[in-house]
Amino acid sequence: MVRPGDEFRVECREWTDAQIGNNDSANDVRDVDLSVTHVLSGPIGVDGAEPGDLLVVDILDLGPVPQQVGGAPGQGWGYTGVFAKANGGGFLTDYFPDAYKAIWDFHGQIATSRHLPGVRYTGITHPGLFGTAPSADLLASWNRREQALIDTDPQRVPPLGLPPLAENAISGTASGEVAQRIASEGARTVPARENGGNHDIKNFTRGARVFYPVHVKDAKLSGGDLHFSQGDGEITFCGAIEMGGYIDFHVDLIKGGMEKYGVTTNPIFMPGNVEPRYSEFLSFIGISVDHDTDTNYYLDATVAYRRACLNAVEYLKKWGYTGEQAYLLLGSAPIEGRVSGIVDIPNACCSLYLPTAIFDFDVRPTMEGPVKKERGQCAVTS
């Protein structure tokens, strides 16, 4: 328990509970047991919080495990993974169906990778996942509507959603029938929902202030899934630089804040004020056309952003990166993803802004053409 006005530190394990190792094989990404994720810290009760309030959460500081080097992500290193289509998938899983991995070494605020040579950038450290506890009615609504979506195509790979799973369910101090009910009804933590959850917003960093809806007594704040860096969309599913570490919070309450400010379905937040200052970008455009099948979609921003990502991948391949390396780079680097147009029927337009300063060579187009070099390979599966 904490009180409004308190400041406190939360220590977090990496989201898979350190199933991924600092090595040159992606077998651990291919074989990761997703039934144990996310591993979260909490719940933290806030004294006096009641349903209908807004929980004000300030991120004071966060980072990898301080002053440690070791075998767990966050101890001086982190990783980015492309999850196999049969186990997790990702935004471009139909183009990259196998598992891949890049290990990143931390040098203060800078990340470099032996698996992605020629790239060096400042991370926007942030938590992927924090949120308040749902009420019983809200939890039932999640399970009902997500199961209805799954039922539209129950055999899809990857699946349309993840229903409650008793295997490896974490029930805290509960036992007996209560623990069994938690295991059978508890929602998986993969998506963001009305309580916050797995938003994966890269600007949710130091200096950010979040206003969470309170659905139960004491609010019960939980979270984890810390990231050293991430691009907008976290497109590989494990697209951030994943790590364990710490996060320092300040909390307060706005009594009756949900009604006062109309915050009923999702949190609102003020972005952090600490981020690298990249001033020049190479931007890639995508429209809602699947060029592989020559199919037009009506104002589909998801299709448009996917095409922008694929266009960026093809461009980076001209400089010697493999497609897998480019995919890992776009998931982890501080790219900006934007919905640029969703009114000009039939094509939505999305754009991807890639900072040029993260490369140790001039990545811009010139009359001389790209200089293609041998740039190694990311970690692959055996």
Side-chain angles (χ1 to χ4, degrees), residues 241-255:
I241 299 180
E242 307 286 348
M243 67 177 188
Y246 73 93
I247 183 166
D248 293 340
F249 286 126
H250 169 272
V251 294
D252 214 332
L253 286 174
I254 299 177
K255 300 300 294 182

Side-chain angles (χ1 to χ4, degrees), residues 164-377:
L165 179 68
E167 179 187 359
N168 290 320
I170 298 173
S171 56
T173 59
S175 61
E177 292 183 3
V178 175
Q180 292 176 7
R181 183 178 176 189
I182 291 171
S184 62
E185 298 179 15
R188 303 291 293 278
T189 56
V190 170
R193 299 186 179 93
E194 287 89 339
N195 67 326
N198 197 23
H199 278 130
D200 292 316
I201 299 171
K202 76 174 191 298
N203 295 100
F204 185 18
T205 184
R206 286 173 289 171
R209 170 170 285 187
V210 192
F211 302 86
Y212 286 112
V214 175
H215 300 284
V216 299
K217 183 179 180 297
D218 299 330
K220 295 184 171 62
L221 179 72
S222 298
D225 186 28
L226 302 188
H227 298 161
F228 189 87
S229 177
Q230 181 205 294
D232 281 337
E234 198 185 9
I235 58 175
T236 76
F237 176 53
C238 190
I241 299 180
E242 307 286 348
M243 67 177 188
Y246 73 93
I247 183 166
D248 293 340
F249 286 126
H250 169 272
V251 294
D252 214 332
L253 286 174
I254 299 177
K255 300 300 294 182
M258 290 176 67
E259 176 64 26
K260 284 179 183 178
Y261 292 103
V263 181
T264 56
T265 57
N266 290 100
I268 57 177
F269 88 108
M270 299 167 64
N273 53 13
V274 177
E275 63 178 348
R277 297 298 181 187
Y278 293 115
S279 59
E280 184 177 273
F281 300 87
L282 191 60
S283 299
F284 300 88
I285 303 301
I287 59 175
S288 52
V289 174
D290 182 342
H291 294 284
D292 297 318
T293 61
D294 202 26
T295 303
N296 225 122
Y297 292 85
Y298 179 77
L299 297 182
D300 192 323
T302 301
V303 172
Y305 193 52
R306 183 177 291 117
R307 295 313 307 185
C309 293
L310 289 168
N311 290 339
V313 167
E314 289 303 312
Y315 184 88
L316 290 172
K317 286 165 64 175
K318 298 298 183 181
W319 299 87
Y321 292 110
T322 66
E324 295 78 22
Q325 287 176 308
Y327 189 20
L328 288 162
L329 172 61
L330 297 176
S332 58
I335 65 168
E336 301 283 341
R338 303 183 185 180
V339 179
S340 301
I342 49 171
V343 295
D344 299 318
I345 61 173
N347 289 339
C349 177
C350 288
S351 47
L352 183 159
Y353 289 55
L354 178 65
T356 57
I358 69 175
F359 299 93
D360 66 6
F361 57 92
D362 188 354
V363 74
R364 299 172 299 178
T366 65
M367 294 297 293
E368 290 74 23
V371 179
K372 193 169 187 176
K373 291 186 176 181
E374 171 58 45
R375 303 190 189 276
Q377 176 58 291

Side-chain angles (χ1 to χ4, degrees), residues 36-61:
V36 303
T37 58
H38 294 84
V39 175
L40 304 182
S41 298
I44 300 157
V46 181
D47 190 38
E50 299 173 301
D53 295 344
L54 285 179
L55 177 64
V56 184
V57 178
D58 292 307
I59 298 179
L60 306 178
D61 197 11

